[in-house]
Amino acid sequence: MSGPPVISGAEREATIERAITIRGEMDAVRAKLANGSLGLAEALNATDPGAAVNRLYVVKLLESLPQIGKVPARRLMSEIGIAEKCRVEDLDSSQRILLIAKIGQ
């Protein structure tokens, strides 16, 4: 049984910095959704595979919308068949279409 991978201090620092950057980008996406400057359709159809929005959990994305709360977000995901821990990048095209149709953005 092997232990955790051994990485140098510099590699660890770089990984931490990258994580902080991605977290900041995800928070910015959620803020844009909350204030209406970014629509759900735009967020779900991000073409860049490395975009921060793709790393967000779908439930967090939905909760960021002004008219959706925690319970309605989970109900909607359940209706469509989206798992609780699903990320935006894991959604298939039919799930994206259904989310946009149900929310109307």
Side-chain angles (χ1 to χ4, degrees):
M1 200 165 164
S2 65
V6 179
I7 60 173
S8 70
E11 289 174 324
R12 184 175 186 276
E13 289 295 321
T15 302
I16 290 170
E17 285 300 316
R18 193 168 49 246
I20 290 170
T21 301
I22 289 171
R23 173 57 61 196
E25 290 172 5
M26 288 190 300
D27 289 344
V29 167
R30 291 183 64 203
K32 287 180 183 177
L33 284 165
N35 70 24
S37 64
L38 179 67
L40 179 65
E42 294 172 85
L44 290 177
N45 295 321
T47 56
D48 180 18
V53 70
N54 289 326
R55 300 289 302 148
L56 275 172
Y57 287 113
V58 176
V59 70
K60 292 296 181 186
L61 181 89
L62 294 175
E63 288 173 2
S64 298
L65 295 170
Q67 72 274 22
I68 305 287
K70 291 182 179 210
V71 173
R74 285 170 175 77
R75 271 194 201 128
L76 180 60
M77 289 174 60
S78 177
E79 285 175 25
I80 296 174
I82 300 171
E84 180 94 15
K85 293 292 183 180
C86 182
R87 293 184 189 272
V88 171
E89 65 190 355
D90 298 329
L91 291 174
D92 62 31
S93 60
S94 64
Q95 290 171 326
R96 291 171 193 262
I97 291 167
L98 284 170
L99 276 173
I100 293 167
K102 295 260 185 186
I103 294 181
Q105 283 192 357

